[in-house]
Amino acid sequence: MSDRWVSVEEIAEYLGVSKDTVYGWIAKKDMPAHKVGRLWKFKTDEVDDWVRNGKASDDKKESEAAESSSQKGKHAGGEKLDG
């Protein structure tokens, strides 16, 4: 996609979600969006970074827990006990 500003409809289609989801993410998840008059506009590169950083995920707590248990597994594996 080019570097132009895109609308709610276009960013929803780009991400494969509904417009309501986009509005919800703006309000609740600090989705990078800019008001131009009464309309929300988006830069796709900003939205791409936001998504890549896991901000669009509902699984934030789950992914953090998985990462934490993975860290524990590494520590447990590195500390072998005799016996």
Side-chain angles (χ1 to χ4, degrees):
M1 217 177 245
S2 69
D3 193 30
R4 70 180 181 89
W5 293 94
V6 298
S7 67
V8 170
E9 291 83 6
E10 290 170 314
I11 203 71
E13 183 178 334
Y14 178 71
L15 294 173
V17 299
S18 70
K19 291 189 302 183
D20 288 342
T21 297
V22 171
Y23 287 122
W25 285 346
I26 293 169
K28 296 178 183 172
K29 295 192 172 195
D30 296 325
M31 182 180 192
H34 307 270
K35 274 277 195 167
V36 178
R38 298 180 340 173
L39 304 174
W40 286 107
K41 295 291 182 178
F42 306 86
K43 286 289 192 181
T44 55
D45 60 339
E46 292 178 353
V47 174
D48 288 342
D49 289 343
W50 180 78
V51 170
R52 285 188 187 109
N53 288 322
K55 304 294 177 86
S57 174
D58 287 337
D59 300 334
K60 186 173 182 180
K61 290 181 182 177
E62 290 179 20
S63 65
E64 288 175 356
E67 185 174 308
S68 177
S69 71
S70 172
Q71 296 278 334
K72 287 179 185 176
K74 288 180 183 175
H75 292 296
E79 298 175 13
K80 293 186 178 181
L81 300 174
D82 293 328

